[in-house]
Amino acid sequence: MNEPKVAVITGASSGIGAAVARSLAAEGFRLILGARRMDKLRAVGEPIDADCRFLDVTSDASVVEFCKSIGTAHVLVNNAGGALGLDSIEDAQEVDWQRMYDTNVMGLMRVTKALLPALETANPGHVVNIGSIAGREPYPGGAGYNAAKFAVKAITQVMRMEWLGRPIRVTEIAPGLVETEFSLVRFKGDSERADRVYSGLEPLTADDVAEAVCWAVTRPSHVNIDEIVLKPLAQASATMVSRKQV
Ligand code: NAP
């Protein structure tokens, strides 16, 4: 019997990362999962027999420790990230912008760099970056997050160019509104404000996004899915949504 393929997922303690973990486990992958909240991470990982490891993608030392002893990685899902605040540039909170950049951009670079030899050994390896429609379309109040996710899009495209000829596939998955802890984190625990983001419409679920990731990584090895943009039917752009009165 063939050894199972290995998938590494950052930010797997909730939302999209957790859903991708379950979905890849169902495809027969062996999972290595990382996040900071170990209790939540274990709750995701234990039922699917995953290797759950503490990971703070903003820390070099944590990334080095996390990646230790990963000799082969067929798939890396750079999912850890999110938004903080919805302030105008005039009112920008530097600490929020810094954290968004550190997590969504620097974290992605750090983990990818550390796992590149393991991905190449997999022959082919596959890097899946979780971007966003916020990385394609700016919106008022979004500048800090927009800048971070535009960076994810740019980095994904450069990966594709720099690794051309090497056995590493590269995909960006760019969702619109997905109901997860995303808005609760963005609005710093204000659950009423977070709930309003999804009220009166049917958002994507984390499972919807996980299906897209799963599809991209299970294509034949000569096929590279460059990007997938998916939005709820009720969302035409970052700022245009159709809400029913509730
Ligand atoms: P979520 O439920 O808040 O999940 C975010 C995950 O990232 C959590 O598992 C969190 O785990 C992890 N994380 C945050 N900071 C981290 C750090 N420093 N080190 C390691 N892990 C960290 O939100 P989500 O919607 O699933 O977000 C996943 C990704 O999708 C993000 O990149 C987000 O930008 C992107 N996205 C979301 C939406 C949406 O509408 N929800 C749309 C487009 C793109 P810990 O807190 O336990 O560390």
Side-chain angles (χ1 to χ4, degrees):
M1 212 172 79
N2 288 339
E3 281 285 296
K5 290 185 175 173
V6 175
V8 180
I9 305 172
T10 70
S13 60
S14 63
I16 294 169
V20 172
R22 287 188 286 265
S23 155
L24 293 184
E27 283 292 326
F29 281 84
R30 186 165 73 75
L31 275 306
I32 301 173
L33 308 179
R36 295 164 304 173
R37 293 170 298 171
M38 285 306 292
D39 52 338
K40 291 199 127 217
L41 189 66
R42 285 196 195 97
V44 173
E46 276 170 8
I48 53 174
D49 218 10
D51 178 352
C52 299
R53 304 181 179 187
F54 177 84
L55 172 65
D56 179 353
V57 297
T58 68
S59 153
D60 270 328
S62 174
V63 170
V64 168
E65 188 60 31
F66 175 78
C67 294
K68 231 188 209 167
S69 78
I70 303 180
T72 305
H74 297 83
V75 174
L76 164 63
V77 183
N78 281 311
N79 165 77
L84 284 170
L86 192 63
D87 300 313
S88 64
I89 293 168
E90 198 173 6
D91 294 326
Q93 304 288 317
E94 285 188 32
V95 64
D96 287 351
W97 281 51
Q98 187 69 57
R99 270 188 56 201
M100 286 190 277
Y101 198 78
D102 284 347
T103 313
N104 293 283
V105 183
M106 298 299 287
L108 179 151
M109 178 275 288
R110 262 188 211 104
V111 179
T112 306
K113 208 174 149 187
L115 285 181
L116 201 51
L119 287 155
E120 197 147 20
T121 302
N123 193 14
H126 194 158
V127 175
V128 179
N129 293 328
I130 306 298
S132 171
I133 61 165
R136 285 161 169 72
E137 203 190 333
Y139 54 89
Y145 184 57
N146 288 139
K149 288 303 194 190
F150 268 78
V152 170
K153 179 176 163 68
I155 293 164
T156 308
Q157 291 177 339
V158 174
M159 285 175 174
R160 186 90 169 88
M161 293 170 188
E162 290 187 351
W163 300 340
L164 193 62
R166 290 165 71 179
I168 309 174
R169 303 195 287 178
V170 182
T171 300
E172 184 194 357
I173 305 287
L177 282 172
V178 192
E179 191 163 10
T180 61
E181 293 179 16
F182 176 87
S183 294
L184 195 63
V185 172
R186 173 171 232 170
F187 299 127
K188 301 170 184 174
D190 182 340
S191 57
E192 276 178 33
R193 196 171 175 200
D195 288 347
R196 279 203 296 276
V197 174
Y198 312 108
S199 74
L201 59 80
E202 186 175 354
L204 295 177
T205 65
D207 287 334
D208 294 327
V209 182
E211 262 187 58
V213 174
C214 201
W215 181 77
V217 305
T218 53
R219 292 313 85 209
S221 60
H222 67 287
V223 177
N224 192 92
I225 304 300
D226 284 13
E227 57 182 28
I228 297 177
V229 179
L230 65 162
K231 300 198 280 282
L233 179 60
Q235 180 178 34
S237 75
T239 51
M240 287 180 66
V241 295
S242 163
R243 292 185 200 275
K244 296 199 168 44
Q245 295 291 358
V246 281

